Amino acid sequence: MATIRLGDVAPDFTADSSMGMINLYDYLGDGWGILFSHPADFTPVCTTELGTAAKFKGEFDKRNVKMLALSVDGVASHGEWIKDINETQHTTVNFPIIADDDKKVSTLYDMIHPNANDSLTVRSVYIIAPDKTVKLIITYPASTGRNFHELLRVIDSLQLTAYHKVATPANWENGDRVVVSPSINTDDAKKIFTKGVEEIKPYLRMTPQPNL
Ligand code: BEZ
């Protein structure tokens, strides 16, 4: 297992899932992807996470992001647990959960952190761009459920960078001003960002969010 870092090509794999066999690259097509692991089926925090993820699917779809969950449980277990998620979280799980009982994918993506737990996956998140490079890696412990608003926020930031050459400042939320990339000089920035550029310092230029 090689460490995966930002900018690396996400390793491809084929694995069984709650929706049948999935090849990562075929599943992603030319869209973005979010691959996220959770420790185990039939556990409380994971149940709330997967239910929340299902409710957020429309937001991921709007951003052209395919969702793919994973734990080291098998297909039959996922199938039974999904019934519980649907019942208790008042939703319908509408994306595949990889059945990684042979730990093939979790090993490939370094999702088992032995000093935290030697057999279960931690809460890893990989955001994969259309060119299959890894744009974001986040790791949460088993005891902390992820914030899906934050996952959408970072996807919005990544897509602004990819499509509009801007970066996002601390605590940025959709609609706030954004930062002109340091690779663009201020004269060029004023031509590109027609809504205006404020030069606070030569290295700190703000502009209204260009895609609104
Ligand atoms: C949970 O999902 O609630 C959980 C899973 C593993 C360890 C601790 C909590």
Side-chain angles (χ1 to χ4, degrees):
M1 173 211 61
T3 306
I4 300 171
R5 294 179 174 158
L6 298 188
D8 291 354
V9 173
D12 196 16
F13 59 81
T14 299
D16 208 357
S17 83
S18 57
M19 293 184 171
M21 293 301 288
I22 285 196
N23 171 262
L24 177 69
Y25 283 14
D26 290 344
Y27 178 67
L28 298 181
D30 58 6
W32 293 69
I34 180 166
L35 171 64
F36 58 109
S37 60
H38 55 274
D41 295 356
F42 300 103
T43 53
V45 176
C46 300
T47 300
T48 64
E49 276 198 333
L50 278 270
T52 301
K55 290 174 192 163
F56 273 60
K57 182 167 183 295
E59 292 298 320
F60 287 100
D61 286 347
K62 274 187 212 162
R63 293 159 175 82
N64 194 23
V65 179
K66 296 266 171 44
M67 305 168 74
L68 194 50
L70 175 150
S71 79
V72 294
D73 301 290
V75 168
S77 168
H78 286 344
E80 289 306 308
W81 182 44
I82 285 169
K83 291 183 202 163
D84 281 5
I85 299 169
N86 293 346
E87 176 196 328
T88 63
Q89 307 304 304
H90 312 290
T91 188
T92 301
V93 172
N94 42 16
F95 54 84
I97 308 175
I98 294 169
D100 195 41
D101 36 352
D102 60 3
K103 300 190 170 72
K104 190 179 78 175
V105 179
S106 47
T107 302
L108 188 64
Y109 275 80
D110 195 20
M111 291 165 163
I112 297 176
H113 296 196
N115 291 326
N117 186 305
D118 60 9
S119 57
L120 302 179
T121 37
V122 292
R123 299 188 196 281
S124 298
V125 180
Y126 288 87
I127 300 206
I128 302 168
D131 67 359
K132 307 292 182 289
T133 58
V134 174
K135 294 296 183 194
L136 182 95
I137 303 171
I138 316 179
T139 309
Y140 279 57
S143 51
T144 305
R146 283 158 287 202
N147 183 325
F148 283 77
H149 294 287
E150 170 62 6
L151 296 178
L152 293 177
R153 192 189 76 93
V154 292
I155 288 166
D156 286 341
S157 172
L158 292 169
Q159 294 189 341
L160 278 168
T161 300
Y163 302 135
H164 299 282
K165 296 188 171 71
V166 293
T168 56
N171 288 346
W172 172 84
E173 295 285 352
N174 198 22
D176 292 347
R177 291 201 307 171
V178 297
V179 167
V180 175
S181 167
S183 64
I184 302 173
N185 69 45
T186 300
D187 284 343
D188 287 345
K190 285 178 177 162
K191 289 179 204 140
I192 296 168
F193 303 110
T194 51
K195 292 178 185 168
V197 173
E198 182 191 2
E199 188 184 76
I200 299 165
K201 291 282 182 190
Y203 61 84
L204 176 59
R205 290 86 39 88
M206 307 298 294
T207 188
Q209 190 173 316
N211 63 337
L212 294 180

